[in-house]
Amino acid sequence: MITSILPADSYVVVNKSLLNENDRLTLTMLYQPIVGSMAITLYYTLWADLDKSLILSKEYTHHHLMNNLGIKLDDIVVARRKLEAIGLMKTYYKMGSINNYVYELYSPLSVNEFFNDPIFSTVLSTNVGENEFKRLKNYFRVPKVSLLNYVDITY
């Protein structure tokens, strides 16, 4: 369905997962090279619209979103579609005298899930190059502690 979005059209944001501060690092370092900074900025802005409830935002207009991001509505739609394409967002639409949208935000994959996903890891590697891809993998690698010669004395 092709819909025409207007600045007066309203939206609410629904948090459909447990977003946390670690997700910000994953979004910025792993997802942003794939979808671009505007899509991630849109995601962060919608996340901020959740306010303190972290579950459901109050109702806003797309004019509010345009002002906060400093971009045109068409650019917001492009960024939104990028987020939808990688599973970070779903969009629902209801027609009315003022159209209503519901934007559901989803958590990014965990770092391990991201690097083990053949599509995400390949696209990231292609977008940032082999050296940067290796650097990112090393950045997120958890050091292993050898427990050889140790005895588990946990109660």
Side-chain angles (χ1 to χ4, degrees):
M1 173 189 344
I2 298 175
T3 58
S4 176
I5 190 168
L6 300 171
D9 290 347
S10 69
Y11 73 91
V12 295
V13 182
V14 177
N15 185 355
K16 294 300 285 186
S17 55
L18 298 172
L19 295 170
N20 61 58
E21 290 305 312
N22 291 333
D23 292 335
R24 289 188 193 273
L25 198 58
T26 304
L27 288 163
T28 302
M29 295 180 78
L30 302 180
Y31 282 82
Q32 185 168 285
I34 293 173
V35 297
S37 60
M38 187 46 58
I40 297 303
T41 301
L42 173 60
Y43 187 92
Y44 287 152
T45 302
L46 293 172
W47 189 352
D49 283 345
L50 286 167
D51 197 40
K52 293 180 178 96
S53 78
L54 296 178
I55 295 168
L56 178 68
S57 75
K58 67 180 190 175
E59 190 173 281
Y60 294 97
T61 65
H62 283 84
H63 187 260
H64 161 83
L65 204 52
M66 292 166 61
N67 283 341
N68 277 355
L69 294 171
I71 62 173
K72 296 179 282 182
L73 206 45
D74 290 345
D75 296 329
I76 291 171
V77 171
V78 168
R80 184 194 83 206
R81 289 183 177 151
K82 288 179 180 182
L83 294 172
E84 292 167 351
I86 60 170
L88 289 174
M89 183 175 175
K90 282 189 177 181
T91 302
Y92 297 89
Y93 168 78
K94 182 173 81 172
M95 186 185 292
S97 58
I98 294 178
N99 299 322
N100 297 284
Y101 291 80
V102 173
Y103 296 136
E104 291 182 344
L105 296 183
Y106 291 85
S107 292
L109 297 174
S110 72
V111 172
N112 284 339
E113 290 170 326
F114 188 96
F115 282 115
N116 288 323
D117 184 285
I119 295 172
F120 279 109
S121 60
T122 300
V123 173
L124 179 63
S125 178
T126 300
N127 287 3
V128 300
E130 188 177 333
N131 288 338
E132 179 66 6
F133 182 75
K134 286 179 183 175
R135 188 194 71 74
L136 287 168
K137 278 188 92 164
N138 285 333
Y139 179 86
F140 286 104
R141 183 168 284 128
V142 177
K144 300 231 189 249
V145 175
S146 172
L147 297 176
L148 188 65
N149 299 324
Y150 283 80
V151 176
D152 184 354
I153 59 168
T154 307
Y155 282 106

